[in-house]
Amino acid sequence: MSQVQTEVSVDIALKLGLTEEEFEMVKCKLGRMPNFTELSIFSVMWSEHCSYKNSIFWLKTLPREGKHLLVSAGEENAGLVDIGQGLACAFKIESHNHPSAIEPYQGAATGVGGIHRDIFTMGARPIAALNSLRFGDPQRPHMRHLIKGVVKGIGDYGNCFGVPTVGGEVYFDPCYNQNILVNAMSVGIVEVGKTVPARADGPGNPVFIVGARTGRDGIHGATFASADLTEDSAKDLPSVQVGDPFQEKLLLEASLEAIGTGAIVGMQDMGAAGITCSTSEMSAKSGTGMRIYLDKVPTREPDMKPFEILLSESQERMLVVAQRGQEEALMRVFEKWDLECAEIGEVTDTGRLEYYMHGELVADVPAHELVLGGGAPVYQREYTKPEYFRKISKFNPHKIDVPTDFKEVAWKLFHSPNIVSKRWVYEQYDSMVRINTLTTNKPSDAAVVRIKGTDKALVMTTDCNSNYVFADPYKGTMIAVAEAARNIVCSGGKPLAVTNCLNFGNPYNPEVYWQFVFAIKGMGDACKQFQTPVTGGNVSFYNQTVGKDGVEPVHPTPTIGMVGLLEEIKWHMTLDFKKPNDSIFLLGNVTNDIACSEYLRLIHGVHFSPAPQFNLLEEYELQQLVNKLIRKGLIQSAHDVSEGGLFVSLMESAMIRSLGFDIETVEAFRKDAFLFGESQGRVVVSVNPEVEDTLLAFLSREHVSFVRLGEVTTGQLIVDGEDFGHVSAWKQVYEHHLNEVLN
């Protein structure tokens, strides 16, 4: 083997992101000193981004089995659930945080492109996209630059690619001032039995690279994503990839057509770590190896070195293992779509990855030793309860004065970026392309997308309130799962399964790791209760910034992506009040809880308080009740109570049709808690007066608390007899305030 390469040492290993112990492990596994190319391969494959070395122990404790699952968690590029009638849903969420913080447009755009490739490399056609975005203070000029770049990147890529962006969430908090979070989710449809595995079966089968040419963009991107952001991170700009949605659209159509020929044995997207990752993971799953000729890889830059070709994260590329003898069928399809399809090697039975350049062996490594679930290191880090919990434990709600002017408080709350409409964001996304989105003009708590050729629809959402998780990682993550399920149920669907995007700080920080461990425990317990197994997802550590003032980790943000099934479209339930004089009910327990609310932070300036009241069993029973009410036709609308509390939920239901409400609070509770508290397990429903007696008779037999709040009005807002004005003035603020802040 050629040794005419950079001499390696422990110092070089450290610069590549390996530890001294891992450098010794590499030498042990190879039985010799690695050359630079081999060391680079190990460095990216053993990075946190690829190996999950600090998280996989705990991830394996999550519920991973369910009656709807068609593949095990982590077995394929994305989760796969049975949705009936011979169809399956493939879905997954991933992060693109560091690239978006450095170059927001391309960082966000390539995040969208990458997650869609995970779906269609399985043979599924993407039908919907969602996202979950976290930004810092929108008043800061640099943050406005990041926000505008990210939103435009998501919109441009998705709109050009031709998949509707149907849902998501946007939060603002100072903890994200330096390290924003950009999580992208894709959902697709495929016929059961027609998926393609990410495997390299069959020694002797040819290996192809298809799609775009390989360049120097994204080299060591996986390593970049596995380190803290610093004030010098802008120097790592070459680590950010550049996307081309039009090329990806061609790749989508060509891939699905090629799968139909039967010529493809296995296929995998080239995401993090590029050719290195796809060749090693596909080989390791099959217990095979590959012989790859790097000089046959189409490149767009001259004189690329072996390690550059192997580690490049250039977008819109995939690795395909074809059936020997069917190469021409494969080539014809990609030629038809004007895409390069180059044979670069073959599958072997050695279990090793042998990379050649101009006939010279430049790297020889065992596939199994590189990958998650194989020889990649696995760590359990020490953890300890964070110091800031001392501040949380001192919170005393009795020391918070109940305001006297509730209209003024509500008006201030309606100017919070976390409460107002994110219309400025979602209007840049095409939600109607492919004409299957049911919620563009009929909004519900979750996005609803029709499944063509059936009377069914998929219901999908992304959810997480990171302030709740910061206050209590265990309870806060349970709430994230519960809210996702609640949104799906309030839309008429039944939850099926979960994917997650776990955004945390540095795992070597014991307080950060404590947050991670208890978030996983909370997710596991909630998913078991809702029978929503975790199909896979993404762990994103190192979301913190090292600056002059020390290390600032983001709030723990375990984003939940959940998919449910609407078995009949006629059961689609929207969140808007339908007509004046309809009765308004609040389902679920009312409490004196103001903890961790937007009201407490914005009006009283209290940033350390416990997570809001939450009972997992009561939440489950509430959702079962809402499901029954929808199917019995007893309610006109359903909307969960979340950020901003009951008042904001009522306003969101009223504003859509420019209606209002006349309600009365319950004297037994603090009025601020009743209106603005964020205790969980509550849903607002509206009811036609003609069926109210039937509803009351039904509710009396259930085990869920409820209270009749009042009636829908023609537009006036009245609380306890006090006139809060006409809905039109509030609607103006709600729809346009964020636009004013950002511009």
Side-chain angles (χ1 to χ4, degrees):
M1 181 188 302
S2 171
Q3 293 297 326
V4 188
Q5 301 190 57
T6 305
E7 289 292 325
V8 298
S9 64
V10 67
D11 290 338
I12 290 177
L14 294 174
K15 289 179 181 178
L16 291 176
L18 294 167
T19 65
E20 289 188 33
E21 293 79 9
E22 288 168 349
F23 181 54
E24 293 302 319
M25 289 172 62
V26 170
K27 291 192 292 183
C28 181
K29 290 179 182 296
L30 290 179
R32 55 177 169 78
M33 181 71 78
N35 62 36
F36 181 76
T37 299
E38 292 167 336
L39 192 62
S40 296
I41 290 169
F42 274 96
S43 74
V44 292
M45 291 306 298
W46 284 7
S47 69
E48 184 66 42
H49 195 69
C50 290
S51 74
Y52 289 5
K53 58 189 176 185
N54 290 306
S55 58
I56 190 60
F57 174 84
W58 291 103
L59 294 177
K60 286 183 176 180
T61 66
L62 293 170
R64 300 151 67 92
E65 296 181 355
K67 62 181 181 180
H68 298 290
L69 293 191
L70 295 175
V71 297
S72 301
E75 183 179 319
E76 296 296 346
N77 288 331
L80 194 68
V81 293
D82 191 340
I83 55 175
Q85 293 183 243
L87 297 175
C89 171
F91 66 105
K92 189 180 182 183
I93 189 170
E94 282 197 342
S95 65
H96 232 222
N97 301 333
H98 282 24
S100 300
I102 300 300
E103 210 299 298
Y105 181 86
Q106 290 294 350
T110 53
V112 172
I115 197 64
H116 281 317
R117 284 196 301 280
D118 278 341
I119 299 304
F120 71 76
T121 51
M122 289 183 68
R125 178 176 291 278
I127 64 166
L130 301 92
N131 52 67
S132 175
L133 310 177
R134 297 296 190 283
F135 299 114
D137 182 358
Q139 302 282 359
R140 292 187 170 201
H142 180 62
M143 186 54 59
R144 289 200 293 271
H145 161 72
L146 293 177
I147 294 169
K148 292 176 180 179
V150 165
V151 172
K152 184 170 175 56
I154 291 172
D156 284 0
Y157 201 103
N159 297 351
C160 295
F161 183 57
V163 172
T165 301
V166 299
E169 56 178 359
V170 183
Y171 283 92
F172 301 91
D173 191 280
C175 76
Y176 304 109
N177 275 341
Q178 301 299 325
N179 205 135
I180 63 175
L181 303 183
V182 177
N183 298 172
M185 180 173 170
S186 179
V187 180
I189 296 288
V190 63
E191 291 184 40
V192 174
K194 293 191 176 180
T195 54
V196 171
R199 297 174 60 88
D201 293 336
N205 280 332
V207 178
F208 290 82
I209 187 170
V210 300
R213 289 183 162 237
T214 299
R216 288 189 170 93
D217 51 325
I219 293 173
H220 272 294
T223 307
F224 172 59
S226 305
D228 295 335
L229 286 181
T230 70
E231 294 172 340
D232 296 324
S233 287
K235 296 176 182 177
D236 294 323
L237 196 58
S239 292
V240 180
Q241 310 95 323
V242 177
D244 181 347
F246 299 106
Q247 178 98 331
E248 176 128 330
K249 175 63 174 174
L250 297 176
L251 195 57
L252 161 66
E253 301 299 339
S255 297
L256 296 183
E257 185 174 330
I259 291 170
T261 67
I264 295 180
V265 173
M267 179 163 55
Q268 181 164 319
D269 163 44
M270 286 186 195
I275 293 174
T276 297
C277 187
S278 50
T279 54
S280 58
E281 289 183 347
M282 292 178 74
S283 298
K285 284 179 182 177
S286 296
T288 57
M290 288 189 190
R291 188 175 296 113
I292 300 295
Y293 303 98
L294 298 176
D295 49 291
K296 294 185 177 181
V297 175
T299 59
R300 64 169 183 262
E301 298 179 47
D303 302 321
M304 288 187 69
K305 296 180 174 63
F307 85 90
E308 293 177 319
I309 296 172
L310 281 168
L311 272 56
S312 168
E313 295 181 10
S314 294
Q315 297 292 287
E316 291 81 47
R317 300 178 304 154
M318 297 190 305
L319 195 75
V320 175
V321 175
Q323 200 73 250
R324 175 64 71 188
Q326 297 190 39
E327 296 91 340
E328 287 189 15
L330 185 71
M331 298 283 285
R332 277 198 302 270
V333 171
F334 285 97
E335 286 174 4
K336 168 188 170 182
W337 291 97
D338 198 25
L339 292 168
E340 286 200 77
C341 178
E343 185 174 346
I344 62 170
E346 63 182 358
V347 178
T348 67
D349 61 1
T350 65
R352 303 188 70 83
L353 301 171
E354 301 164 274
Y355 300 109
Y356 289 82
M357 189 73 168
H358 301 302
E360 186 178 18
L361 182 62
V362 295
D364 180 2
V365 291
H368 176 81
E369 300 297 343
L370 293 173
V371 302
L372 165 69
V378 175
Y379 302 119
Q380 293 184 59
R381 297 296 173 195
E382 63 177 277
Y383 53 90
T384 184
K385 192 172 185 177
E387 275 295 313
Y388 67 79
F389 273 84
R390 294 177 181 270
K391 298 179 183 179
I392 291 175
S393 65
K394 294 178 181 178
F395 174 72
N396 184 352
H398 302 295
K399 292 184 178 180
I400 304 296
D401 294 332
V402 178
T404 55
D405 190 338
F406 281 90
K407 180 179 178 181
E408 180 185 10
V409 169
W411 188 251
K412 287 182 179 178
L413 200 59
F414 243 59
H415 285 74
S416 165
N418 288 327
I419 297 298
V420 297
S421 169
K422 308 309 183 292
R423 180 177 181 174
W424 179 89
V425 174
Y426 67 71
E427 283 191 341
Q428 298 185 52
Y429 305 150
D430 186 343
S431 65
M432 291 294 290
V433 63
R434 305 189 67 82
I435 62 170
N436 291 313
T437 310
L438 301 182
T439 41
T440 299
N441 298 316
K442 294 183 177 181
S444 55
D445 280 6
V448 181
V449 179
R450 180 191 295 108
I451 303 170
K452 279 188 176 179
T454 76
D455 59 355
K456 299 180 179 184
L458 288 174
V459 192
M460 56 203 79
T461 185
T462 56
D463 288 284
C464 179
N465 186 315
S466 62
N467 285 309
Y468 299 169
V469 185
F470 177 77
D472 186 331
Y474 177 75
K475 184 193 288 187
T477 309
M478 284 202 296
I479 290 174
V481 175
E483 184 176 1
R486 194 188 318 139
N487 285 332
I488 285 175
V489 168
C490 285
S491 303
K494 292 184 177 180
L496 292 179
V498 159
T499 179
N500 58 55
C501 202
L502 308 178
N503 308 274
F504 290 81
N506 192 320
Y508 294 86
N509 178 335
E511 293 190 352
V512 167
Y513 206 69
W514 187 91
Q515 294 172 330
F516 173 75
V517 169
F518 280 89
I520 292 293
K521 291 181 177 181
M523 186 188 309
D525 286 349
C527 286
K528 289 172 186 174
Q529 179 66 65
F530 292 108
Q531 296 101 50
T532 52
V534 179
T535 63
N538 172 229
V539 178
S540 177
F541 280 134
Y542 302 98
N543 290 292
Q544 59 189 39
T545 305
V546 181
K548 296 177 182 177
D549 299 324
V551 178
E552 300 177 12
V554 302
H555 284 176
T557 312
T559 303
I560 301 298
M562 186 179 288
V563 168
L565 183 64
L566 184 60
E567 293 166 325
E568 294 187 43
I569 289 176
K570 67 180 181 181
W571 288 332
H572 176 210
M573 180 56 60
T574 58
L575 63 86
D576 53 313
F577 293 151
K578 298 303 184 292
K579 63 183 189 303
N581 299 319
D582 279 356
S583 300
I584 304 171
F585 283 79
L586 175 64
L587 308 179
N589 287 324
V590 179
T591 69
N592 267 323
D593 187 16
I594 58 173
C596 219
S597 62
E598 190 74 12
Y599 157 75
L600 188 63
R601 287 189 298 275
L602 187 68
I603 305 301
H604 296 283
V606 176
H607 295 274
F608 292 91
S609 64
Q613 181 274 337
F614 174 76
N615 182 291
L616 183 58
L617 183 58
E618 289 177 359
E619 175 79 50
Y620 180 74
E621 291 176 343
L622 169 74
Q623 294 184 22
Q624 297 297 104
L625 171 63
V626 172
N627 183 280
K628 293 176 186 176
L629 294 177
I630 292 172
R631 278 148 183 77
K632 289 180 178 292
L634 293 177
I635 58 177
Q636 298 288 312
S637 67
H639 186 27
D640 81 319
V641 177
S642 55
E643 287 78 21
L646 174 62
F647 182 83
V648 170
S649 293
L650 289 167
M651 289 296 301
E652 289 172 343
S653 292
M655 288 183 294
I656 294 170
R657 294 175 183 258
S658 295
L659 298 172
F661 51 81
D662 183 348
I663 66 157
E664 292 185 1
T665 61
V666 179
E667 291 186 2
F669 300 96
R670 289 179 57 137
K671 191 169 179 177
D672 57 348
F674 191 89
L675 289 175
F676 311 123
E678 297 178 14
S679 62
Q680 299 296 294
R682 295 181 295 157
V683 172
V684 172
V685 299
S686 63
V687 182
N688 187 324
E690 294 178 1
V691 300
E692 187 169 337
D693 289 343
T694 306
L695 173 74
L696 289 170
F698 181 78
L699 291 177
S700 66
R701 298 191 296 269
E702 297 293 316
H703 301 291
V704 175
S705 300
F706 66 93
V707 59
R708 188 183 189 278
L709 296 173
E711 300 85 26
V712 178
T713 70
T714 57
Q716 286 302 119
L717 305 172
I718 301 170
V719 179
D720 289 338
E722 181 182 356
D723 186 357
F724 274 45
H726 195 273
V727 70
S728 57
W730 296 75
K731 188 174 181 179
Q732 179 72 16
V733 172
Y734 182 78
E735 291 190 343
H736 301 291
H737 181 66
L738 184 59
N739 180 61
E740 293 171 2
V741 170
L742 294 175
N743 292 294

